[in-house]
Amino acid sequence: MNRRATRKKQASYGSWILAILVLAAVVAAGVYLVRKAMQPQTSASSAAPATSTTAPMAPASAASTIQHPIAQASSGPAPASTAALPALVDSDASVLDALSSLATGGDVRSLLVPSQIISRVVATIDALPRQSIGSTNILPLHTPRGTLQAEQASGITVISARNADRYQPYMTVLESVDPHTLVAWYKHNYPLFQQAYRELGYPHGYFNDRLVVAIDDMLAAPDLHDPVAVTLSGSHYVFVDPRLQSLSAGQKLMVRLGPANEEQFKAKLRMIRELVVGAQVAH
């Protein structure tokens, strides 16, 4: 990844949706980050290579204590393969094959951007807890079809319940992924994720710790069951409630998913989190 690439200005956090399933879920279940997700006009999804992504939005920190060593995340089945890992630059084919077999529902291949997958996933997860995403070139998945669905209710503009339907292909994949098998695959391939994280600009960072931070941030997103008010700001929608508008990118995604999708997503994330920190989770 090119650390010198320039940061692209965000217009509210609505821009390119990213449905994310952190980690391999990020990859296997659906990362739909956001660059113009809330733009009321159709925009083509970007498939630009991850080599044009932005640098980390915070300086690489000095060496620090590892909080969640992946070697201790021993729950679940043994890795499906003991074969030597490919080089990161040559890993796309094997990652595509693995994720296609992990997700028994939906069509992962049609959702994924098929180049530099692990690097894109790592950059996306790193960005989720932030308020600024930067370049949309980091997205590992194609964006949902259509545009944000809004409607009038009691004289205000709100996100329509129909908007949740746009995420159905991603949620179908998410539902089909077994967290135990997913995390086993992640553990086996962890050196590639760690290498991508260091190349992103964190030579002393530990990716699994950042993954847990991103998951915890999304789990902390508010559970909203009433219609969410939005308003046009130029060519894009923003949340009327300033508290929602100030949420992180990952939390805004959760709000846009709709209550049912958010509940399903959070349930899967909780299981994944327990597994990547080494806890036992029932099948």
Side-chain angles (χ1 to χ4, degrees):
M1 294 219 173
N2 186 353
R3 297 185 55 217
R4 293 172 294 183
T6 56
R7 227 189 279 183
K8 291 187 179 180
K9 184 177 181 181
Q10 293 270 311
S12 112
Y13 263 141
S15 325
W16 299 94
I17 284 185
L18 157 81
I20 317 178
L21 238 166
V22 183
L23 197 272
V26 175
V27 194
V31 187
Y32 20 74
L33 240 191
V34 198
R35 231 259 142 189
K36 284 197 172 175
M38 299 179 77
Q39 197 166 0
Q41 60 186 38
T42 303
S43 56
S45 62
S46 171
T51 50
S52 298
T53 62
T54 62
M57 279 157 249
S61 60
S64 57
T65 303
I66 295 174
Q67 300 296 314
H68 304 291
I70 199 63
Q72 295 181 10
S74 56
S75 302
S81 171
T82 57
L85 297 178
L88 178 60
V89 69
D90 298 321
S91 64
D92 288 330
S94 63
V95 170
L96 276 171
D97 289 343
L99 295 179
S100 295
S101 64
L102 283 172
T104 57
D107 184 359
V108 175
R109 288 180 181 271
S110 69
L111 300 179
L112 281 167
V113 175
S115 65
Q116 303 183 49
I117 300 171
I118 288 180
S119 294
R120 291 175 186 273
V121 169
V122 166
T124 293
I125 291 174
D126 179 58
L128 287 176
R130 307 182 192 281
Q131 286 197 332
S132 178
I133 298 298
S135 172
T136 60
N137 292 335
I138 65 174
L139 302 186
L141 298 184
H142 298 298
T143 58
R145 294 182 178 180
T147 59
L148 181 134
Q149 299 295 301
E151 63 186 16
Q152 295 297 307
S154 302
I156 61 175
T157 303
V158 299
I159 298 177
S160 171
R162 298 189 306 274
N163 192 62
D165 295 341
R166 300 172 57 231
Y167 302 97
Q168 193 54 50
Y170 306 90
M171 301 308 295
T172 297
V173 172
L174 168 59
E175 184 177 6
S176 73
V177 173
D178 172 56
H180 295 80
T181 305
L182 181 62
V183 173
W185 173 83
Y186 167 63
K187 288 163 48 183
H188 178 65
N189 289 272
Y190 185 75
L192 300 181
F193 287 90
Q194 181 62 26
Q195 178 185 343
Y197 191 53
R198 288 176 175 168
E199 292 181 359
L200 183 62
Y202 300 98
H204 305 294
Y206 194 70
F207 176 68
N208 200 53
D209 286 348
R210 187 60 177 170
L211 173 63
V212 174
V213 168
I215 293 176
D216 286 345
D217 181 70
M218 286 189 288
L219 289 177
D223 297 314
L224 305 176
H225 299 284
D226 295 327
V228 177
V230 293
T231 186
L232 277 173
S233 176
S235 63
H236 59 273
Y237 284 112
V238 297
F239 295 117
V240 171
D241 187 336
R243 293 171 299 178
L244 297 182
Q245 190 58 30
S246 66
L247 294 176
S248 69
Q251 290 178 350
K252 284 185 177 180
L253 164 68
M254 302 302 275
V255 172
R256 281 190 290 267
L257 289 177
N261 285 342
E262 180 177 357
E263 181 180 1
Q264 181 183 354
F265 197 173
K266 284 185 174 180
K268 188 76 71 166
L269 287 177
R270 290 187 187 97
M271 296 182 71
I272 291 171
R273 186 196 190 283
E274 293 303 306
L275 291 169
V276 298
V277 300
Q280 295 292 333
V281 176
H283 283 270

